[in-house]
Amino acid sequence: MSDDHTHVQEFFTARAADWDTKFPDDGPAFAAAVADLGLRKGDRVLDAGCGTGRALPPLRSAVGPSGVVVGADLTPAMLQAAVRAGRDREGHLLLADVAALPLRSGSLDAVFAAGLVAHLPHPRENLRELARVVRPGGRLALFHPIGRAALAARQGRRVTPADLRAEPNLRPLLAASGWRMTSYVDEDARFLALAVRSG
C-alpha cells in the first residue's frame, strides 16, 4: 500500500466512529446534490469514496429499486460505520481504491463523489479512472456540504489560488481526465461541480 493510501486510511479510520455525529445536519445538502446529478430510475451509480454512506439513501431513492448503487471506499472502518448505520441496505459496499476500480469500463451512468478530490493522490489519473467506468454522456458530481472558504475557515486555513477545487484549476483538470464541466457552485452552504463524460 502506498504512503498516500496509508495516510488516507489512518486519517479516516481515526474519525470513522464519530463521523456522522460530527456532521449531523448534512443530510439535506447530500439529497440536494444527488437531485442535481439528474439520475433516472434504473440508473447505475457509484458513490466514490463513500465513507459512512451518507449519499447512499438519496442515491437509492433517485435510481429506484431497479437501479444499481455501489459505494466504494478505501477505509474499512468507514464501510463498517456505513453498515452500523444500516446504509448497506441502500447499495452494495465495496472496499476498493477509486484509483483502480474493480468495475467494467462504461458500466455506470454516474459517479457521485463527496469530499473526494482533496484526497486523491494523483487527481488527473484518478478522475480518468472514474471516467473509465462511466458511459459516454454519463455524469459526475464533485460535492462537499460546505464551500471552499467555509471549509478552510473550519480547518483554520485560508483558500489559496492553488486549491484544486478552484474553478480555474478544476475545469482543465476535468477536461484532461475525460470530463466536461457543466456547472460550478462554490457557496458557503455547498460546493458542487457537475461534469459530463466526454464521448
Side-chain angles (χ1 to χ4, degrees), residues 78-184:
M78 290 299 251
L79 294 177
Q80 291 160 7
V83 171
R84 284 194 303 274
R87 297 184 185 123
D88 56 322
R89 294 189 295 269
E90 309 294 346
H92 308 286
L93 295 178
L94 187 62
L95 180 63
D97 181 359
V98 298
L101 290 163
L103 299 171
R104 290 190 327 272
S105 296
S107 60
L108 300 173
D109 297 294
V111 173
F112 184 87
L116 179 70
V117 174
H119 298 286
L120 296 176
H122 307 289
R124 181 178 296 190
E125 293 82 0
N126 302 152
L127 289 167
R128 189 179 303 279
E129 172 66 358
L130 295 182
R132 180 189 68 78
V133 299
V134 174
R135 63 170 174 78
R139 297 168 307 288
L140 169 69
L142 300 177
F143 167 72
H144 200 283
I146 61 174
R148 294 185 310 122
L151 180 61
R154 177 190 285 175
Q155 297 172 343
R157 59 179 179 80
R158 292 186 354 204
V159 175
T160 69
D163 186 339
L164 193 63
R165 291 163 296 172
E167 186 173 8
N169 301 329
L170 187 58
R171 187 178 294 276
L173 172 63
L174 286 168
S177 306
W179 300 97
R180 177 177 56 83
M181 187 188 291
T182 58
S183 175
Y184 181 91

